[in-house]
Amino acid sequence: MSPASVLFVCLGNICRSPTAEGVFRALVESRGLADSIHVDSAGTSNWHIGEPPDPRAIEAARLRGIDLTDLRGRQAIARDFSEFDYVIAMDHENYDNLSRLATPEQATKLHLFLEFAEGASEIEVPDPYFGGAGGFPHVLDLIENASEGLLNHIITSPLEKGGQRGI
Ligand code: 4NP
């Protein structure tokens, strides 16, 4: 398959998007596609730049065999829309903030993550930061489901002219 790149984005880049980065990377590796699909994550805020993921996110992912400890927070920037084929927002607030970084042509790269989740009754990955640890397994369930759908989408949709893929 032709190479693709995916950027997951939430607010702080310490809970949802690093979890998505870790889950999606593990899925890509399990399918033997690590050389073809580049994965990264970022936050729309600058609040946690350089920080590791939240300890609750690290622990919830560890229980599913996924190591997030090497990840560090960074802020999403306009250049991400020229460098990534897919910019995947966790919720509407982050989607709206990201849309301000994109040109009209690049806006086709922006998606809500749960658009790719089969049978999901939610369209946003809820922010687990202010809740208890119980929010994190639910976030993982949503992310695992949507990751399968996103990867299938990437594998089955041909690159459009200019490197963009449609949905
Ligand atoms: P995330 O969660 O966007 O999933 O990383 C949050 C992390 C930190 C804050 C809010 C949400 N915060 O207010 O610092």
Side-chain angles (χ1 to χ4, degrees), residues 49-60:
I49 292 172
E51 293 180 20
D54 186 297
R56 298 166 296 172
I58 290 177
E59 177 60 11

Side-chain angles (χ1 to χ4, degrees), residues 79-133:
R79 197 173 64 232
D80 287 321
F81 276 96
S82 34
E83 298 199 342
F84 287 86
D85 300 309
Y86 292 90
V87 179
I88 306 291
M90 296 295 142
D91 60 26
H92 284 112
E93 180 190 359
N94 289 294
Y95 183 101
D96 290 346
N97 286 333
L98 286 164
S99 68
R100 292 187 202 105
L101 299 178
T103 65
E105 296 75 37
Q106 292 169 338
T108 58
K109 296 180 171 185
L110 181 56
H111 304 275
L112 276 174
F113 196 17
L114 296 191
E115 286 171 25
F116 298 98
E118 200 168 314
S121 55
E122 295 155 86
I123 191 61
E124 299 190 308
V125 181
D127 183 349
Y129 185 70
F130 293 107

